[in-house]
Amino acid sequence: MGYQSYAATTSVAGNVVSVDVESSSFTIACRSGDVVEVFVGPTTTFEVLSNVDGVSRDRTPGPAPDPDGGDPVRDSIRRYVAVDNLVFVRGIHQEHQGRGRYDGRIVYLLQSSPGGAYVFEEPTWWLTQISRLADRWLDQLFDARRDYSLEDFAKFYRTNLNIVGRPTDDTVQECATLSRLIYGLSSAYLLTGAERYFLAARAAVAYQRQAFRTLSSDGRHCFWAHGRRATADGERLLMASEFPDDAGAIPLYEQIYALAGLGQYYRITGDWEVLADIRRTLNTFRDFYRDDEAARERGLPGYGGYFSHLDDVTFRPDSAALGPNQSRKNWNSIGDHLPAYLVNLVLAVEPLPRGEARSAFERLQNDAIELLDETVALIVEKFPDDHSDYVNERFHADWTPDHEYGWQQNRAIVGHNLKIAWNLTRCMFYLQGREQRLHDRGQHAEADQQKQMAARCLHLARRLADRMAEAAVDPVRGGVFDAVERMPDNGMPIQFAWGVTKDFWQQEQGILAYLLLYGATRDERYLNLARECMAFWNLFFLDRDRQGIFFRTTESGLPVLQGVYGQKGSHSVAGYHSFELNYLAHLYVRAFVEPDDQHRRFCLYFRVQGDGEQRTINVLPDFMPPNRVEILRVSANGVDRTEDLKPANADDFQISIDGVKPNPKDGSVSLVVEFSVH
């Protein structure tokens, strides 16, 4: 569409291909292939990307003195703009009678100084971000406290927080959002070792278990209540969800995310009581939501996978009271197991603990690995669609795609496609490790099966990531789009379901997917996409005034603040995705982007329960390619114990605390594990 007269503020992103100081302009090439000449004027500012703390990182030296007095505009171009650099620009696009012009008003630089590393790849970037986010969450909930109790969370925790982090009129405390915050606090401790985060996570775990856990009469099953709401007559326990899509039902994704915080906290501590609740919840998944052969005894069809909802009265997935959620399966009931808790659980129990506790973990390990294999196979086999570039996300019981569900219809959520790409790549690394172990044991036929499944995982991951990069990851401005039609009928490669907006959690999926695919393939395209997505996140989603994260932005990165999108906390925002991004982006950048030798090291912090039967803890950071990382040093309670605690084999990530005297204050053993990257 051409305009006779048109003006709009928009942003562009791309690599600088030329600089024309005399005309006060430079030219960038977008990933779309568009070439934009950016004109610079006296009102143009040049800003080096800052972190969520807002601290200036501009260390760019000024230009050499000009004997003729110089020109501030041209001097700024000389100082900040260099060919090949990736830059983002916000400016004014005008068209008039067939002529076009783009005037830059803010030029965003991504390096502190010319030729330096991208600031978001420096070793402290994600550590700083997760620390400032965690500090502000705790400050806003608990003021100046530095120690926390179950009672603090009972009194002060709220799901719904306004943009400045203060409680709204709704007093609800949702279990899944509390668990997601526990995940964030646990991840902050894993990366930084800050005592404050551990103490808050421990108190929050105690409150989740005390306030939301409901056990079956035989003690084998655990259901987690949707939430609690304070009223004038006391608290009311809410078993069924109040979220509109799930109202009156017990959705599986809420039960899954109730384990997100417990799983990450268990990785740190080896807490046996927390593990007991994880076991019980897995029993609930298997005995109430799973549609396998055993389910046929309860009158269910047995087509495989997991139903998305249960009736809160009959505890059946086929109850007519569920309405549109009756006998349905969806992305959340299958794929959310992996990132929410299952990867962490497998990391925690494989290999099995050594010593007397070993036999008690064998069933749990088998169940966790079986669930991982099952969900991976279902994603690879059921979700792709030969007639669309996007996966199917909702299904009937027999796996027929459901394209008539409520708001979704035949639409795709871009972030779900990238989430699949990310998690299938993670699981490919796991399958490669299993393949290697099977070959070492002479089980070559079984090893070949793992090799084939790993190849299928990578094939689908690349297919989805490549398609998203073509259109659904904005090729002109950067950032991941939201909801689109799976079958565009508007003559365009992409058809937006509603607005051209970008949500925070979908940026996370894009960053992690492309970072990990770069680690798996060494394809520079994926690294460039990851950097573009990291830049968009750090430029436009960080709320530097309040040390928070914006939920949604426009296509150009301006925050959307109406309604729920202006809240710091809600059913969909809970201190989870942003913390998960900080945690895993730090690991993936350190492990795969190959910084300078001095930066090929990172630490994780553990706080092992010293009085339990489990005397070992597994410390592998995430599913990694075989031989990618190894333990370099280990300290226990502040003392270097590398000589006696570091495993003898480089591919062994299990550390024993036998012989380490627990801290007399709380009976724990504080471990600091330093890793090196090959």
Side-chain angles (χ1 to χ4, degrees):
M1 178 184 294
Y3 293 94
Q4 285 300 308
S5 186
Y6 172 82
T9 298
T10 189
S11 60
V12 292
N15 292 89
V16 177
V17 294
S18 66
V19 179
D20 188 343
V21 176
E22 294 304 314
S23 66
S24 298
S25 70
F26 61 92
T27 302
I28 65 173
C30 304
R31 186 164 43 82
S32 62
D34 294 294
V35 177
V36 180
E37 185 175 12
V38 179
F39 288 91
V40 176
T43 59
T44 303
T45 60
F46 293 78
E47 298 182 9
V48 173
L49 174 62
S50 64
N51 210 326
V52 72
D53 55 12
V55 174
S56 173
R57 303 182 66 85
D58 188 347
R59 299 297 182 269
T60 306
D66 189 327
D68 298 325
D71 176 273
V73 173
R74 295 176 180 178
D75 286 348
S76 293
I77 294 175
R78 292 189 187 96
R79 178 178 181 182
Y80 288 106
V81 182
V83 172
D84 294 333
N85 280 3
L86 174 64
V87 298
F88 283 64
V89 184
R90 175 166 287 147
I92 301 169
H93 170 62
Q94 290 181 271
E95 292 184 18
H96 181 69
Q97 297 181 351
R99 293 181 294 111
R101 179 181 172 98
Y102 186 79
D103 289 291
R105 289 295 174 259
I106 307 176
V107 180
Y108 295 104
L109 294 309
L110 307 176
Q111 296 147 309
S112 292
S113 58
Y118 290 104
V119 293
F120 43 73
E121 291 175 5
E122 293 174 355
T124 61
W125 182 267
W126 299 102
L127 303 181
T128 298
Q129 193 167 128
I130 201 170
S131 298
R132 298 295 78 77
L133 292 176
D135 286 341
R136 185 53 65 95
W137 269 94
L138 294 175
D139 288 346
Q140 289 169 333
L141 286 173
F142 306 112
D143 293 326
R145 288 174 175 79
R146 289 297 184 271
D147 198 355
Y148 307 93
S149 68
L150 179 155
E151 292 297 331
D152 290 327
F153 278 86
K155 183 176 181 180
F156 296 111
Y157 179 73
R158 295 290 183 271
T159 289
N160 294 305
L161 303 172
N162 65 23
I163 194 169
V164 297
R166 300 304 180 189
T168 67
D169 292 337
D170 190 344
T171 62
V172 72
Q173 299 175 324
E174 292 187 20
C175 177
T177 60
L178 175 63
S179 177
R180 286 166 159 172
L181 180 59
I182 294 168
Y183 177 97
L185 294 169
S186 298
S187 299
Y189 179 76
L190 270 167
L191 283 191
T192 68
E195 182 84 355
R196 184 187 193 191
Y197 310 146
F198 174 76
L199 295 176
R202 183 175 65 183
V205 166
Y207 183 59
Q208 178 181 332
R209 299 181 66 243
Q210 189 264 2
F212 301 100
R213 185 184 65 175
T214 301
L215 301 181
S216 60
S217 58
D218 60 4
R220 291 190 64 251
H221 301 96
C222 175
F223 280 92
W224 299 95
H226 167 76
R228 305 180 78 90
R229 175 173 284 110
T231 69
D233 299 320
E235 282 194 339
R236 179 186 174 196
L237 185 69
L238 309 169
M239 280 303 300
S241 179
E242 293 186 328
F243 191 65
D245 286 0
D246 318 298
I250 304 176
L252 180 52
Y253 79 91
E254 288 191 3
Q255 302 297 306
I256 286 172
Y257 278 104
L259 295 187
L262 300 185
Q264 191 76 318
Y265 181 78
Y266 176 71
R267 282 222 66 197
I268 297 170
T269 62
D271 188 312
W272 63 272
E273 290 185 301
V274 169
L275 184 62
D277 282 340
I278 294 174
R279 291 176 189 263
R280 294 183 181 111
T281 310
L282 291 179
N283 290 341
T284 296
F285 297 162
R286 181 177 59 249
D287 296 340
F288 287 88
Y289 289 92
R290 195 177 189 185
D291 187 29
D292 57 2
E293 290 188 10
R296 293 175 181 170
E297 299 177 5
R298 297 187 289 123
L300 299 174
Y303 287 115
Y306 294 80
F307 289 108
S308 61
H309 293 76
L310 294 182
D311 178 3
D312 67 325
V313 174
T314 65
F315 291 89
R316 290 187 63 88
D318 56 355
S319 169
L322 292 171
N325 292 316
Q326 179 185 10
S327 299
R328 293 298 197 275
K329 297 162 185 174
N330 61 26
W331 155 254
N332 301 98
S333 70
I334 309 299
D336 271 352
H337 292 273
L338 290 167
Y341 73 89
L342 190 51
V343 169
N344 277 329
L345 183 59
V346 173
L347 287 166
V349 299
E350 188 180 20
L352 290 167
R354 298 197 295 270
E356 297 179 0
R358 184 181 183 87
S359 60
F361 282 80
E362 289 179 347
R363 171 66 185 276
L364 176 63
Q365 185 194 70
N366 290 336
D367 288 347
I369 293 173
E370 179 184 341
L371 181 53
L372 184 144
D373 288 340
E374 179 184 14
T375 52
V376 167
L378 287 170
I379 292 169
V380 169
E381 294 168 6
K382 304 295 187 183
F383 284 71
D385 186 341
D386 292 337
H387 305 290
S388 174
D389 294 313
Y390 305 93
V391 297
N392 287 300
E393 298 184 24
R394 295 185 184 272
F395 304 89
H396 296 277
D398 63 356
W399 291 103
T400 302
D402 180 4
H403 292 158
E404 298 180 354
Y405 181 90
W407 60 268
Q408 182 144 23
Q409 300 295 302
N410 193 15
R411 299 181 179 116
I413 303 300
V414 175
H416 287 162
N417 291 266
L418 290 166
K419 198 171 191 178
I420 289 173
W422 162 42
N423 281 285
L424 286 184
T425 308
R426 290 173 102 182
C427 291
M428 181 204 68
F429 291 153
Y430 173 74
L431 294 170
Q432 287 177 336
R434 186 192 291 172
E435 174 199 349
Q436 181 173 298
R437 293 190 295 273
L438 288 168
H439 267 304
D440 291 344
R441 294 199 294 264
Q443 297 173 267
H444 301 300
E446 294 88 342
D448 287 343
Q449 291 177 353
Q450 303 306 309
K451 182 177 181 179
Q452 292 172 18
M453 180 54 78
R456 294 180 68 186
C457 287
L458 183 59
H459 175 76
L460 180 55
R462 296 194 72 169
R463 171 185 155 185
L464 293 175
D466 290 347
R467 172 56 188 139
M468 297 308 105
E470 291 174 10
V473 180
D474 192 332
V476 174
R477 292 159 295 211
V480 178
F481 291 129
D482 178 19
V484 300
E485 301 292 341
R486 294 185 63 257
M487 302 290 186
D489 61 7
N490 62 349
M492 296 291 174
I494 186 169
Q495 183 175 353
F496 298 99
W498 291 283
V500 189
T501 54
K502 300 166 183 177
D503 286 0
F504 80 111
W505 68 270
Q506 302 194 57
Q507 314 311 308
E508 178 213 7
Q509 312 307 311
I511 292 168
L512 298 181
Y514 291 121
L515 277 175
L516 215 53
L517 279 167
Y518 174 67
T521 66
R522 314 312 289 175
D523 188 330
E524 291 286 333
R525 291 183 305 122
Y526 295 132
L527 179 58
N528 292 335
L529 283 159
R531 285 170 167 165
E532 184 184 299
C533 290
M534 284 191 283
F536 195 90
W537 165 270
N538 284 290
L539 282 169
F540 303 126
F541 278 91
L542 303 186
D543 182 356
R544 293 168 178 84
D545 293 330
R546 291 164 286 266
Q547 282 75 61
I549 302 297
F550 294 118
F551 185 103
R552 171 171 289 179
T553 73
T554 65
E555 67 279 3
S556 293
L558 294 174
V560 176
L561 301 178
Q562 292 91 346
V564 69
Y565 305 117
Q567 292 186 199
K568 179 185 178 73
S570 71
H571 177 84
S572 303
V573 187
Y576 172 67
H577 285 292
S578 53
F579 287 84
E580 180 181 57
L581 170 61
N582 296 162
Y583 175 66
L584 291 175
H586 179 72
L587 298 183
Y588 295 169
V589 169
R590 300 272 68 75
F592 301 123
V593 181
E594 297 185 355
D596 296 337
D597 287 343
Q598 63 176 324
H599 295 153
R600 290 187 183 177
R601 299 178 183 179
F602 61 91
C603 290
L604 293 182
Y605 299 81
F606 299 83
R607 191 71 165 269
V608 187
Q609 188 172 276
D611 58 355
E613 292 183 358
Q614 185 176 336
R615 307 299 297 168
T616 59
I617 191 160
N618 297 339
V619 299
L620 182 65
D622 195 61
F623 290 160
M624 294 277 182
N627 307 314
R628 187 63 182 174
V629 299
E630 70 170 303
I631 296 173
L632 185 65
R633 292 187 181 85
V634 181
S635 68
N637 294 335
V639 178
D640 190 328
R641 299 289 297 271
T642 303
E643 187 173 337
D644 54 323
L645 295 185
K646 178 186 173 183
N649 297 323
D651 59 352
D652 185 357
F653 295 91
Q654 188 174 78
I655 293 176
S656 172
I657 61 170
D658 278 337
V660 179
K661 187 176 180 180
N663 186 322
K665 182 178 178 181
D666 62 3
S668 68
V669 174
S670 295
L671 291 179
V672 183
V673 184
E674 183 179 348
F675 297 86
S676 62
V677 178
H678 294 291

